[in-house]
Amino acid sequence: MDFSDWLLNEINKRGWSQAELARRAGIPRQIISNYINRQREKPDSDVLVSISRALNLPPETVFRAAGLLPPVSPDTEYQEQFTTFRNFPPMSVRKY
């Protein structure tokens, strides 16, 4: 599966349009369209980070889908997602 197919699949899984992904990523819709229509050969790193945030996925997952990082085993992908989760700031606990 190439990046175009992967990105379209991620959009469809969420029930979003290209415009919705673009809005959530803070990028022009035409950029999303260019990726999906295979009119952009080399993905831009900043755009991929914005897409990863919009999709709520680790950047490594999006970079792998775009072919900028080598594929990994499912175990490694799980570890990366867990590591990303651990990097969130701790939640404050209210005392009642």
Side-chain angles (χ1 to χ4, degrees):
M1 175 182 304
D2 68 0
F3 185 62
S4 172
D5 294 333
W6 180 87
L7 186 57
L8 191 56
N9 183 50
E10 291 297 320
I11 291 170
N12 290 336
K13 278 192 324 191
R14 290 163 175 78
W16 295 353
S17 64
Q18 292 179 29
E20 180 64 15
L21 174 59
R23 183 188 70 76
R24 289 175 183 247
I27 57 177
R29 187 205 53 80
Q30 188 61 43
I31 291 175
I32 301 298
S33 178
N34 288 345
Y35 284 135
I36 289 175
N37 293 316
R38 297 174 177 86
Q39 294 175 347
R40 192 160 182 155
E41 293 292 321
K42 186 176 179 186
D44 179 84
S45 297
D46 292 335
V47 170
L48 295 180
V49 169
S50 296
I51 289 172
S52 73
R53 287 183 182 143
L55 296 174
N56 199 27
L57 293 171
E60 295 86 357
T61 301
V62 179
F63 277 68
R64 279 198 181 84
L68 298 179
L69 289 175
V72 296
S73 70
D75 290 338
T76 303
E77 186 173 347
Y78 175 78
Q79 287 174 329
E80 285 178 354
Q81 290 174 357
F82 182 73
T83 301
T84 300
F85 178 73
R86 284 187 7 205
N87 289 333
F88 283 110
M91 294 176 42
S92 61
V93 177
R94 289 185 179 187
K95 296 180 181 180
Y96 292 97

